[in-house]
DNA sequence: ATCCTTGCAAAGCATTTGCAGTCAC
DNA sequence: GTGACTGCAAATGCTTTGCAAGGAT
């Protein structure tokens, strides 16, 4: 547990240094929380949880910290049409499944075949492709069981 | 030209009737504009363009019309983190390429192999999958040439 | 005649920003 | 000591909503 937290601090410090930014308690707490969860929280959810570690932190600072982490490549921002953006502390190559009823997001531990991606990239003339994003949509078991699928 | 416009009207009328909604000049103009462009416009862009056809139309009505079309399955809403949502009048199965510098969106006329998609769906236990969405990101030739890639 | 839709203006909500005080380096 | 960061509150920008007048069936 301690080694994990320490590892996270080291990662954050070096990422921040590279861009002339400073290590702060607030950024560290946001980073720690993001890494410890797989719930893809919204900024507000991060705010509520991080308060336990840093009582006086403001929502604006959480937004700024999240943006900083995304800028450093230590987190990813997921945006869907509904409500607020969600943040992902996992930086390895993976995709997501999203529930159309409750909005929850889960990780998908399977990739698209690299050759398949290349084929798609080749079809995008006029663009220099730097990345891609794939998302499955459907209904999670909980919502499906409650018949919420029909109402959305 | 006339036959296309007439076809669009018929499509819209029947789609609206199915859900007890009414055919109006405003909805028709929004639908016509969306079908005629491949620029994936924002609500505001639709508003500015549709004004030529329906001078007194309001932005709120454009939003409502777009939502109605999406509800009928006659358009799709594309949301990214930056600024406003974009709308797509094409309802056939296709994907998009988005420029990270200027935000423009283009159609991608190539699909992921069906078997590949099935494999991914199978890895999403706890979900009943109903669809998927793929998006390539990168820089369009214009932004790339102007060196805008670096600043974003 | 019914009840859906429009246009307007106001409200709502997520996110960003300006700035004075504070902190990291 | 310098310049970056925080917290607060106000501002912003996109989108939605309430409502009276108008329009489609």
């Amino acid at each position: 547990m301690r080694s994990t937290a320490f590892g996270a601090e080291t990662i954050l410090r070096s990422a921040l240094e590279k861009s002339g930014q400073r290590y702060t308690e607030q950024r560290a707490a946001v980073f720690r929380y993001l890494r410890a969860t797989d719930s893809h929280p919204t900024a507000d959810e991060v705010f509520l949880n991080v308060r336990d570690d840093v009582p006086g932190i403001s929502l604006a600072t959480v937004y700024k910290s999240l943006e900083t982490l995304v800028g450093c490549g230590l987190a990813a921002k997921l945006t869907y049409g509904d409500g607020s953006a969600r943040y992902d502390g996992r930086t390895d190559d993976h995709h997501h499944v999203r529930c159309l009823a409750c909005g929850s997001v889960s990780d998908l531990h399977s990739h698209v075949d690299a050759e398949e991606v290349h084929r798609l990239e080749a079809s995008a003339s006029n663009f220099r492709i730097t990345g891609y994003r794939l998302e499955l949509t459907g209904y999670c078991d909980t919502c499906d069981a409650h018949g919420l699928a029909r109402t959305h």
Side-chain angles (χ1 to χ4, degrees), chain A:
Chain A
M1 192 67 191
R2 175 172 298 172
S3 74
T4 303
F6 190 75
E9 181 180 326
T10 308
I11 291 169
L12 179 57
R13 281 200 122 88
S14 76
L16 289 170
E17 268 171 30
K18 273 177 198 159
S19 42
Q21 299 184 92
R22 291 171 184 176
Y23 177 92
T24 65
E25 193 191 351
Q26 290 84 345
R27 285 171 176 175
V30 168
F31 186 48
R32 249 184 283 120
Y33 177 68
L34 260 197
R35 294 202 116 204
T37 186
D38 63 349
S39 71
H40 309 83
T42 60
D44 202 65
E45 284 163 0
V46 173
F47 173 58
L48 294 174
N49 283 282
V50 158
R51 269 172 133 167
D52 298 341
D53 278 314
V54 188
I57 196 169
S58 74
L59 180 56
T61 297
V62 169
Y63 271 106
K64 287 169 189 164
S65 299
L66 287 168
E67 205 46 54
T68 300
L69 293 178
V70 171
C72 291
L74 297 179
K77 186 178 184 178
L78 311 174
T79 54
Y80 307 107
D82 59 329
S84 8
R86 290 169 173 277
Y87 294 86
D88 188 340
R90 305 271 153 85
T91 52
D92 60 310
D93 175 31
H94 69 280
H95 301 295
H96 297 108
V97 211
R98 182 166 58 98
C99 178
L100 296 169
C102 70
S104 69
V105 175
S106 291
D107 289 323
L108 196 69
H109 298 292
S110 188
H111 305 193
V112 178
D113 182 71
E115 227 177 271
E116 186 75 10
V117 176
H118 271 73
R119 198 173 55 71
L120 290 167
E121 288 183 10
S123 73
S125 49
N126 309 334
F127 268 82
R128 179 166 60 81
I129 303 300
T130 59
Y132 77 103
R133 181 176 151 182
L134 179 106
E135 172 203 323
L136 296 186
T137 48
Y139 298 94
C140 70
D141 285 351
T142 310
C143 289
D144 212 18
H146 292 327
L148 291 173
R150 244 162 266 121
T151 71
H152 293 264

